[in-house]
Amino acid sequence: MKYADVILPLPLENSYTYRIPDDLAKAVIPGCRVIVHFGKKRYYTAIVLEVHNRQPSTDYETKEIYALLDATPILRRPQLRFWQWISSYYLCKLGDVYKAALPSGLKLESETAVTINEDFEADSQLRPNEQSVLDAFSGALKLTVSQLEKKTGLRNVMPVVASLMARGAVEVSEELKRGFVAKTQTYIRLNERYLQEDVLKKVFDELKRAKKQEILLIGFLELSHTLNPSLIQEVSKKELLEYSHSSSNVLDSLLKREILVAYEKEVGRLQASVCRLQSLNPLSSHQEKAYNEIHEIFKSKEVCLLHGVTSSGKTEVYVRLIDEVLKLGRQVLYLLPEIAITTQLTERLARLFGNKLLVYHSKFSDNERVEIWNKLLHSNEPFVVLGVRSSLFLPFKDLGLVVIDEEHENTYKQQDPAPRYHARNAAIVLAGMHGAKTLLGSATPSIDSYFNANTGKYGLVELKVRYGQCLEPEIIPVNIKELRRKKIMKETLFSPLLIEKIELALANKEQIILFQNRRGFAPLMECATCGWIPHCKNCDVSLTYHKQQNNLTCHYCGYTQRPVQVCPQCQETGFKMMGFGTEKVEEEIVSLFPSVKIERLDFDTARTRKAYERIIADFEKGKTQLLIGTQMLSKGLDFGNVSVVGILNADSLMNFPDFRAHERAFQLMVQVSGRAGRRDKQGTVILQTSQPDHPIIQLVQDVDYKNMLQLQLSERSMFRYPPYFRLIVVVLRSRSESVLQEMSTLFAHKLQSQLGERVLGPVTPPVTRIQTLYIRKILLKIEIAAAIAPVREIIETVHTEMQGYPPFKQLLVHYDVDPV
Ligand code: ADP
Ligand code: ZN
Ligand code: ZN
């Protein structure tokens, strides 16, 4: 009898054992997907981890595998090894990794939504089951797997859905509420009524007195070759308007007259061009030197850190290395911290690498993600994959290089849900499994990486000058406490110096960036009489006032309510606003400079990728002259005409209760400052603070990374923090605060008895309750030199022991290894 250990997309056990039916005995192999039954009437796609003939020792009858989905594995061997590393290092289950790793198109569940492709035409005979699934839609566009089962009477349609998906007949999406929105573009065609030339002629007669419409229609006919069927072409609204120099009002009139017809068309995202359109830029002498040093380091070290100031041309150096690795026939992974900044770079890379470039992230449709997956799985060609952290899980054949840009960014760490992995650190492990080199790049490296370079674990290469004649910006701190005391800055957020610089820049037609790391209008609304502050009803945090929507919102759970009119504590009606966010900055700028074109870039205005891209593009093109934003501004954007950057309040960055606050404040301020400066002229940064003597302010002013590092390292070693100690946080949550307190104390106690003073807590975090769950944390500080495996074993043993206490079931428990 043969058995298969399979991974289910569940956070319970690492694997589950199923019996392999005799007819599948040869076909079920590791890396294949199978359908199995688990729990109440639920079917899942599972991944085969191991095949063996050890009878499981349970009281239950071992269930049989229901169906096999793949003739060949959909994972390459090293991938499962990588999954196992993530699950063991980050203390989570293989099922968690599986969920994060596979695009949802490859992991059908009973609740998966299936959408029919109406344009589908079979190129070969459909099997009867496939036909009956398609028939089951009978007009409906979207059904769940369970609905399909009911309608077809088939016991399990998932294998059928999988084969239909492979044919392109259906598309699946994980959850209805997060359904993928296809990228569409408006296209224009001629109403069929006017296809004959004599009928069309009448139209032109009618348009005699509507010159603009006539011009547009002529433009359309030229572009589309509608009257010459052999040359006919589809015409998008965008190109039509550009070609005929028309406005969309004119087009609307023609649409209203039903002469032209608009239709939406899905446009693919994988539109990389076929060949290289551009050759690589020659490197500057500094870049050349850095490039040679990296080569030298890679001879003896696996990882190299490139510390290059903003605009030094790190990307040019990466591109050179990528090109070489591709020419050797090996693959490259180019990681970015966020989807948002892939846009600027995608265009740049597509011009260089053509169809060798694959872009992968979660905003792509399922079919496209599966397409990229399969491309990597079935072909051995050298590709460069540009992606965010989830692209670590793609089926690479042979990585030769991993580039991690903006390596200091916190968004490389996944917060929720598990696996809570750090993509930078995991990528280094992945590279090791492939025998690939890793290049980390940043203008403000993380202290962790720089420490590794200092101790010789990584190599270090510096690029200290900006490309071209571009100068470093001048950073000027302004003491706003003093200005307030002297009543010079009373009711305003802007110091006179900042106003003066903005005016000057506006007069010179230059651009301005204002940075405030808080969205909303004012963070707090406070009772003027008794100081009462409205709080979220689900979380222990104060609500933020948003003026535009006129409401109070919780930034943790999204809870929203109308502003309070009467103080529930003292019954008074007077409220005042405390602190300020980007919305407030915008309001004040509008009143100071009413004619200036302004845009705001924060979580509220850039909710979608499209909105984000528009804001950035408008600023790049100079349509917007002044951009106000949160940390979204700091993310590796490259603008050419910014002469002034204003950091409105440095204090809120520095006074954060976290051991990384100063490192982070330094990084943010230096990165934002880096947006200032142009080819021919030095930029200015106005740094407003009420603590001008704070060491961090001095360090930012001098862009003195090394002294910042020294200062931080001495604090970190004194207080037992990374990079000297490894942190593991046990996060415990429950609706019942008393059960939580009791169980977390016991948990900490048991850990202490084995790990001693390395265990701290349970502590109540600054935010004690989120989404109606109370929170406690137990903090483990483990010497960096200590072996981690025994610690993990202790944690696992204690966890199992705790599960013996019935109240423990009222707790949600997870681990956060190397938290950020
Ligand atoms: P970084 O990533 O270090 O901030 P970038 O690679 O974005 O810097 O380079 C900054 C700007 O300088 C970009 O507009 C880039 O096109 C230009 N640049 C840098 N190096 C070169 C080069 N060798 N040849 C041409 N342009 C370059
Ligand atoms: Zn009050
Ligand atoms: Zn809340």
Side-chain angles (χ1 to χ4, degrees):
M1 190 66 79
K2 277 176 99 177
Y3 298 92
D5 291 347
V6 305
I7 310 170
L8 279 169
L10 299 169
L12 306 171
E13 298 293 332
N14 273 327
S15 65
Y16 302 79
T17 307
Y18 284 80
R19 204 146 40 81
I20 303 179
D22 293 338
D23 55 326
L24 295 179
K26 285 224 169 62
V28 172
I29 49 175
C32 282
R33 292 173 306 158
V34 292
I35 305 271
V36 297
H37 193 202
F38 185 88
K40 276 202 193 108
K41 284 199 191 147
R42 290 273 281 167
Y43 285 101
Y44 291 96
T45 308
I47 302 272
V48 179
L49 180 65
E50 201 196 328
V51 173
H52 57 83
N53 43 27
R54 304 185 299 273
Q55 166 123 27
S57 57
T58 65
D59 303 338
Y60 304 102
E61 193 203 348
T62 310
K63 286 194 197 123
E64 224 174 47
I65 285 176
Y66 189 85
L68 173 69
L69 286 182
D70 306 302
T72 54
I74 60 141
L75 295 175
R76 291 186 186 264
R77 275 202 178 266
Q79 276 179 288
L80 279 172
R81 205 148 61 86
F82 182 57
W83 288 18
Q84 273 162 330
W85 178 82
I86 294 221
S87 122
S88 89
Y89 185 85
Y90 291 102
L91 295 164
C92 63
K93 298 299 174 203
L94 276 174
D96 294 316
V97 187
Y98 165 28
K99 279 205 284 192
L102 243 59
S104 44
L106 292 176
K107 47 177 189 201
L108 312 175
E109 291 181 26
S110 319
E111 291 320 306
T112 300
V114 184
T115 313
I116 190 162
N117 171 9
E118 289 179 298
D119 302 330
F120 171 70
E121 276 173 36
D123 48 9
S124 61
Q125 183 81 39
L126 290 174
R127 281 182 283 135
N129 278 353
E130 293 176 330
Q131 193 59 54
S132 62
V133 165
L134 289 186
D135 293 344
F137 280 90
S138 63
L141 270 180
K142 200 179 239 181
L143 293 173
T144 65
V145 168
S146 342
Q147 282 169 328
L148 277 174
E149 264 162 22
K150 227 181 248 162
K151 292 202 175 199
T152 54
L154 294 170
R155 248 182 75 208
N156 186 346
V157 301
M158 289 205 300
V160 190
V161 169
S163 71
L164 282 171
M165 201 180 69
R167 284 172 175 271
V170 299
E171 190 164 324
V172 301
S173 51
E174 186 130 332
E175 281 165 280
L176 287 163
K177 61 180 193 300
R178 250 197 317 127
F180 164 76
V181 187
K183 180 175 177 185
T184 62
Q185 213 175 340
T186 308
Y187 276 72
I188 304 294
R189 64 177 167 80
L190 186 69
N191 190 330
E192 290 96 8
R193 251 184 281 160
Y194 304 108
L195 274 176
Q196 262 118 24
E197 274 187 60
D198 47 336
V199 195
L200 191 59
K201 209 152 171 240
K202 281 200 199 109
V203 172
F204 276 106
D205 292 341
E206 270 174 48
L207 290 181
K208 272 270 158 344
R209 270 182 290 140
K211 258 293 167 250
K212 286 185 177 164
Q213 294 180 38
E214 188 184 346
I215 291 171
L216 194 147
L217 187 58
I218 292 171
F220 170 79
L221 293 173
E222 285 172 7
L223 268 181
S224 65
H225 303 282
T226 300
L227 300 176
N228 185 350
S230 62
L231 292 175
I232 212 155
Q233 270 196 350
E234 282 190 291
V235 174
S236 74
K237 175 177 167 180
K238 192 165 165 256
E239 32 171 353
L240 176 58
L241 295 181
E242 273 172 19
Y243 180 79
S244 62
H245 303 287
S246 304
S247 74
S248 49
N249 289 343
V250 179
L251 178 62
D252 286 344
S253 315
L254 283 166
L255 293 172
K256 218 188 251 150
R257 291 178 121 143
E258 295 185 357
I259 294 167
L260 293 179
V261 179
Y263 61 100
E264 293 296 312
K265 191 181 149 178
E266 206 170 311
V267 287
R269 290 168 174 78
L270 313 175
Q271 289 171 326
S273 45
V274 187
C275 58
R276 174 182 286 186
L277 302 174
Q278 225 177 48
S279 49
L280 304 183
N281 286 323
L283 295 181
S284 71
S285 60
H286 294 282
Q287 290 166 350
E288 187 77 39
K289 182 163 169 283
Y291 163 83
N292 287 330
E293 285 172 14
I294 293 170
H295 256 291
E296 204 47 44
I297 281 168
F298 278 159
K299 285 184 187 157
S300 61
K301 291 193 159 70
E302 301 311 311
V303 184
C304 177
L305 173 63
L306 174 61
H307 180 195
V309 297
T310 49
S311 289
S312 55
K314 294 184 286 295
T315 319
E316 300 292 333
V317 178
Y318 303 155
V319 160
R320 189 57 69 99
L321 290 159
I322 292 168
D323 193 52
E324 271 173 16
V325 172
L326 292 178
K327 283 196 178 125
L328 290 173
R330 303 185 75 186
Q331 296 174 331
V332 180
L333 172 60
Y334 188 147
L335 277 183
L336 287 174
E338 243 158 303
I339 296 170
I341 57 177
T342 55
T343 325
Q344 270 195 342
L345 196 62
T346 303
E347 288 166 17
R348 211 161 143 186
L349 295 185
R351 269 180 266 131
L352 298 174
F353 299 117
N355 58 3
K356 289 205 186 82
L357 174 70
L358 299 177
V359 184
Y360 187 83
H361 57 61
S362 57
K363 287 274 162 66
F364 279 10
S365 84
D366 256 320
N367 275 349
E368 280 161 336
R369 288 203 281 159
V370 173
E371 220 175 275
I372 293 180
W373 185 286
N374 285 336
K375 215 169 197 169
L376 283 165
L377 185 66
H378 298 304
S379 110
N380 292 333
E381 277 173 61
F383 287 112
V384 46
V385 174
L386 178 68
V388 294
R389 55 174 189 254
S390 58
S391 47
L392 283 179
F393 296 110
L394 284 167
F396 295 106
K397 160 95 187 345
D398 176 25
L399 279 174
L401 175 69
V402 177
V403 175
I404 306 174
D405 199 12
E406 310 288 348
E407 68 84 29
H408 63 281
E409 276 290 344
N410 285 342
T411 35
Y412 276 126
K413 177 76 198 282
Q414 169 144 324
Q415 300 294 349
D416 251 325
R420 295 175 176 80
Y421 64 105
H422 198 300
R424 177 194 63 216
N425 301 349
I428 292 172
V429 172
L430 179 70
M433 290 178 175
H434 282 266
K437 304 292 180 186
T438 306
L439 180 62
L440 309 175
S442 175
T444 52
S446 65
I447 287 184
D448 296 306
S449 295
Y450 210 96
F451 180 77
N452 282 328
N454 266 353
T455 55
K457 193 169 162 198
Y458 301 167
L460 177 67
V461 172
E462 292 182 322
L463 197 45
K464 287 184 183 160
V465 295
R466 288 184 153 196
Y467 175 73
Q469 305 305 306
C470 197
L471 292 166
E472 293 281 337
E474 182 190 15
I475 302 177
I476 311 172
V478 170
N479 185 347
I480 50 174
K481 197 174 179 183
E482 178 85 2
L483 291 171
R484 290 224 175 88
R485 198 174 53 78
K486 290 185 182 154
K487 306 262 187 286
I488 294 171
M489 234 180 112
K490 251 170 70 187
E491 297 280 291
T492 170
L493 307 174
F494 308 109
S495 56
L497 184 64
L498 181 53
I499 299 271
E500 182 191 312
K501 294 286 178 191
I502 293 176
E503 278 168 350
L504 197 67
L506 290 175
N508 291 337
K509 303 249 177 309
E510 294 157 351
Q511 291 176 303
I512 299 135
I513 285 180
L514 296 178
F515 170 73
Q516 170 62 12
N517 205 21
R518 233 187 214 145
R519 65 197 164 99
F521 188 77
L524 306 181
M525 208 176 159
E526 190 186 270
C527 169
T529 315
C530 75
W532 176 85
I533 290 167
H535 276 66
C536 175
K537 70 178 172 73
N538 306 320
C539 316
D540 162 43
V541 290
S542 46
L543 297 169
T544 300
Y545 179 57
H546 287 246
K547 186 164 184 180
Q548 217 163 349
Q549 295 101 345
N550 189 34
N551 62 26
L552 295 165
T553 299
C554 169
H555 287 183
Y556 278 84
C557 74
Y559 166 79
T560 296
Q561 67 172 55
R562 293 258 144 236
V564 188
Q565 303 295 334
V566 180
C567 172
Q569 196 162 283
C570 72
Q571 273 43 294
E572 292 293 329
T573 53
F575 282 89
K576 61 180 183 194
M577 300 295 176
M578 304 282 292
F580 65 98
T582 44
E583 219 185 309
K584 179 85 185 284
V585 178
E586 185 182 16
E587 191 188 78
E588 217 183 300
I589 284 287
V590 168
S591 72
L592 284 169
F593 305 101
S595 62
V596 175
K597 188 86 182 63
I598 296 166
E599 198 97 56
R600 182 152 60 87
L601 182 70
D602 59 25
F603 189 72
D604 295 316
T605 60
R607 268 184 202 281
T608 63
R609 176 161 176 237
K610 215 169 166 177
Y612 175 92
E613 282 173 6
R614 190 197 50 77
I615 296 170
I616 297 294
D618 282 357
F619 194 63
E620 265 179 341
K621 286 188 217 135
K623 276 194 196 167
T624 317
Q625 213 177 350
L626 192 152
L627 187 62
I628 299 161
T630 57
Q631 51 160 338
M632 277 177 139
L633 283 173
S634 70
K635 307 259 153 72
L637 293 163
D638 183 20
F639 302 118
N641 191 33
V642 176
S643 65
V644 175
V645 167
I647 297 174
L648 295 180
N649 187 341
D651 307 339
S652 60
L653 298 173
M654 300 184 302
N655 302 345
F656 211 73
D658 179 81
F659 74 92
R660 283 200 177 91
H662 288 176
E663 175 186 358
R664 181 97 188 108
F666 177 88
Q667 286 164 343
L668 264 176
M669 288 193 265
V670 170
Q671 291 280 351
V672 173
S673 303
R675 308 299 137 221
R678 310 180 312 141
R679 291 290 116 77
D680 48 342
K681 202 174 152 191
Q682 189 182 27
T684 309
V685 179
I686 304 297
L687 177 50
Q688 299 191 155
T689 172
S690 51
Q691 309 163 73
D693 300 325
H694 195 293
I696 289 295
I697 298 292
Q698 286 300 314
L699 294 166
V700 170
Q701 190 180 1
D702 306 334
V703 196
D704 187 350
Y705 181 86
K706 288 195 178 135
N707 273 317
M708 186 280 293
L709 180 83
Q710 284 319 319
L711 203 66
Q712 285 301 301
L713 283 181
S714 64
E715 278 181 21
R716 303 272 180 98
S717 97
M718 190 148 55
F719 297 108
R720 299 201 295 157
Y721 276 117
Y724 301 98
F725 285 78
R726 188 191 309 276
L727 300 185
I728 300 175
V729 185
V730 193
V731 181
L732 309 105
R733 293 173 299 163
S734 173
R735 267 179 228 291
S736 160
E737 194 169 16
S738 57
V739 171
L740 178 66
Q741 184 60 30
E742 185 196 351
M743 286 294 113
S744 54
T745 308
L746 185 62
F747 202 135
H749 208 79
K750 283 178 183 290
L751 287 170
Q752 254 144 16
S753 71
Q754 306 209 45
L755 293 166
E757 60 175 18
R758 296 183 190 86
V759 183
L760 301 157
V763 296
T764 309
V767 176
T768 60
R769 195 170 67 121
I770 292 177
Q771 292 181 332
T772 75
L773 293 170
Y774 292 93
I775 308 164
R776 293 289 183 278
K777 290 183 175 177
I778 300 170
L779 185 60
L780 276 65
K781 290 183 175 178
I782 314 290
E783 301 83 335
I784 209 76
I788 194 73
V791 176
R792 203 177 298 134
E793 237 162 70
I794 291 172
I795 293 174
E796 275 162 8
T797 315
V798 171
H799 195 134
T800 312
E801 250 175 66
M802 288 303 296
Q803 281 168 328
Y805 295 85
F808 193 70
K809 295 204 170 57
Q810 296 177 40
L811 266 57
L812 293 171
V813 180
H814 71 254
Y815 297 89
D816 195 353
V817 180
D818 304 334
V820 298

